[in-house]
Amino acid sequence: QTCALPICMGLQGMINLMLQNCDFVIERNPQEQIKRLAQRDIRSVNTLITLAEQAVHDHSNGYAALRATIRGMAQDAPVVGITGTGGAGKSSITDELVRRFCLDFPDKSVAILAIDPSRQRTGGALLGDRIRMNSINSNRIYMRSLATRESQTELSAAIQDAIEVPKSAGFDLIFVETSGIGQGNAGI
C-alpha cells in the first residue's frame, strides 16, 4: 500500500524533514563574496556590508583585511548625503532624485544606503524608508538599510565601510540618507 509522503511521515516526520531541509551552513566565505562583488552580486554586497556592521558592533578588527581589499577595488562614484529632521521628506526627495537619475541615465546604477533608527528590542533598523521609496524596484537600484545602533548619531558607525562596498561593486551613484533623529552633529 502506497501513500503520499507527508501522510506516511506523520507530524514528527514532517517536522524532522523540514528541519533537515533547513539545516545548511549560512556562513559565506568573504573571499568568495569579494570575487562576486565585481559582478555586482547583490548577495555579496549585502554580506560584505553586514560583515562591516558586525565588525563595528563586535569591536573586532577582523574586517581590516577585507576593508583593504574592498577599498582597493573601489571605483570613483559620487556620494550624495541627504539629511534633515524627522518627517522632513528625506525619503521622498531621495526617491525622486533616484527616479530622475535613472530616467536620464538608463545605463547607470544607483545604491541607496538608508540609515534608520535602531529598534529598542532587537537593535535592527526600523526600515521606515522603504515604504516611501517607489522607484527602487529595478535591477539598477540597490537599497540597504543600516541601523544607527549605539552610534549616538544620525549615521551608522559602519557607514564609511558600507559606502566602499557599492563603490567596489561598480555602482555609479550612491545616496546616503541619515536617520534624521537627534541631529547631534553634521556627520553626513
Side-chain angles (χ1 to χ4, degrees):
Q1 180 179 13
T2 62
C3 62
L5 184 63
I7 296 171
C8 292
M9 297 176 76
L11 179 59
Q12 188 60 49
M14 287 187 278
I15 291 170
N16 291 344
L17 179 64
M18 292 298 292
L19 290 174
Q20 180 182 349
N21 289 340
C22 294
D23 189 20
F24 57 90
V25 178
I26 60 171
E27 294 289 324
R28 295 191 186 116
N29 180 337
Q31 298 306 322
E32 284 295 318
Q33 300 307 310
I34 286 178
K35 289 178 188 173
R36 293 181 186 163
L37 199 56
Q39 289 85 39
R40 200 180 296 154
D41 180 79
I42 298 305
R43 291 185 76 189
S44 297
V45 174
N46 284 334
T47 298
L48 292 168
I49 290 175
T50 298
L51 289 174
E53 284 187 296
Q54 287 173 345
V56 168
H57 186 67
D58 298 341
H59 306 291
S60 69
N61 199 18
Y63 191 75
L66 287 175
R67 179 183 297 118
T69 304
I70 291 168
R71 285 187 178 163
M73 296 172 56
Q75 302 171 24
D76 286 335
V79 179
V80 178
I82 308 287
T83 192
T85 59
K90 295 179 299 295
S91 296
S92 298
I93 193 72
T94 302
D95 183 56
E96 186 62 20
L97 290 170
V98 168
R99 186 183 74 78
R100 290 180 187 213
F101 180 83
C102 288
L103 286 174
D104 289 347
F105 303 100
D107 60 330
K108 302 290 184 186
S109 58
V110 179
I112 306 165
L113 301 176
I115 318 306
D116 285 324
S118 296
R119 299 186 101 165
Q120 292 294 325
R121 194 176 49 144
T122 64
L126 288 173
L127 305 178
D129 297 314
R130 292 178 186 260
I131 61 172
R132 285 177 286 286
M133 301 272 184
N134 298 307
S135 64
I136 63 172
N137 190 18
S138 168
N139 61 356
R140 297 186 306 139
I141 302 169
Y142 169 78
M143 181 174 183
R144 168 69 184 252
S145 294
L146 291 89
T148 55
R149 304 214 191 266
E150 295 97 24
S151 69
Q152 304 301 320
T153 179
E154 71 272 6
L155 292 171
S156 166
I159 192 61
Q160 290 299 328
D161 288 331
I163 289 171
E164 295 297 323
V165 175
K167 280 185 172 185
S168 300
F171 283 92
D172 299 298
L173 177 64
I174 300 166
F175 284 96
V176 176
E177 181 186 322
T178 70
S179 65
I181 60 170
Q183 301 299 306
N185 63 36
I188 192 67

